[in-house]
Amino acid sequence: MRTMTLGLLLTTALMAQDQGQAHPKVDQKRVDEAIVRGVAYLRTQLGNLQGHAGHKPDLVPNELVLWTLLHAGVPEEDPDFQKLFKGMMESKLERTYRVSLQAMILEELDRVKYQWRLHQCGQFLADNQLSNGQWTYGAPSMAVEEIPSETGL
C-alpha cells in the first residue's frame, strides 16, 4: 500500500510540475531530488509490483508505475520501462482503471504507433460504461477481441 501511495503522490507532483502549477515558494531543486528518489524507490520495488497476468493485477498496476515513470522523464528505452510496458501490452484488457491509464500512456508515447491498442482501450471503456455515465470495474468485452491487433494489421 505504501508503494501505491508513493506512486500516486509522485504522479500528482509530476503532473502539477508539468502544468507549471508549483507554488512560487517551492524549491524546485528539492522537488527534482524527491522525484529522483521516488523513481529509485519504485525501481527497487518492481519485483513486488508486477501487475499483469498471473500476478495480483490490482496490487499496483504496471500502468500506474509506467505513468509515474513517464512523467518522471524515464525514457521509453529504459529496461525497467520496457519490462513494464511489455507486461502491459501483453495483458488482456480487463479492468477499467488499468485500461484508462493504458490509454493515457499510449496517447502520450505515440498515438499513431499505438492507435490499434488505443482503439481496443476505447472499445473496452465504451463497453463498460453504464447507462448513467459511470463505468463498471471491468467486464470482458467481446468487441475488443474483434479489433485487429498490431500483428493483425
Side-chain angles (χ1 to χ4, degrees):
M1 190 63 152
R2 178 174 179 234
T3 303
M4 188 169 211
T5 302
L6 175 65
L8 290 170
L9 290 172
L10 185 56
T11 300
T12 303
L14 290 165
M15 290 175 69
Q17 179 185 22
D18 287 349
Q19 297 170 5
Q21 297 175 353
H23 191 277
K25 293 183 181 181
V26 170
D27 181 349
Q28 190 59 47
K29 182 180 178 191
R30 289 184 65 201
V31 170
D32 293 342
E33 290 169 354
I35 291 169
V36 168
R37 285 192 312 273
V39 168
Y41 175 76
L42 284 175
R43 287 181 189 276
T44 68
Q45 298 299 307
L46 288 179
N48 300 325
L49 302 178
Q50 296 307 298
H52 54 83
H55 296 281
K56 297 182 184 177
D58 294 323
L59 184 60
V60 178
N62 285 349
E63 293 83 359
L64 180 59
V65 178
L66 279 168
W67 184 246
T68 302
L69 294 177
L70 186 62
H71 280 272
V74 174
E76 189 177 351
E77 299 78 27
D78 178 88
D80 290 332
F81 191 100
Q82 281 297 307
K83 181 178 179 182
L84 291 167
F85 187 81
K86 182 176 187 265
M88 176 186 80
M89 294 298 282
E90 290 175 352
S91 66
K92 287 187 171 236
L93 301 178
E94 297 177 328
R95 305 293 286 174
T96 303
Y97 176 71
R98 293 180 64 193
V99 172
S100 300
L101 281 168
Q102 184 173 149
M104 293 188 317
I105 292 163
L106 297 174
E107 166 68 22
E108 187 132 340
L109 287 175
D110 188 336
R111 75 172 69 138
V112 174
K113 180 178 179 181
Y114 300 112
Q115 71 182 4
W116 63 273
R117 186 65 167 198
L118 284 164
H119 187 182
Q120 291 176 338
C121 290
Q123 185 65 56
F124 177 90
L125 293 170
D127 291 347
N128 280 279
Q129 189 169 26
L130 302 169
S131 60
N132 66 2
Q134 296 176 334
W135 278 266
T136 66
Y137 285 105
S141 167
M142 299 307 242
V144 168
E145 301 297 326
E146 295 175 9
I147 297 171
S149 67
E150 178 183 36
T151 57
L153 295 177

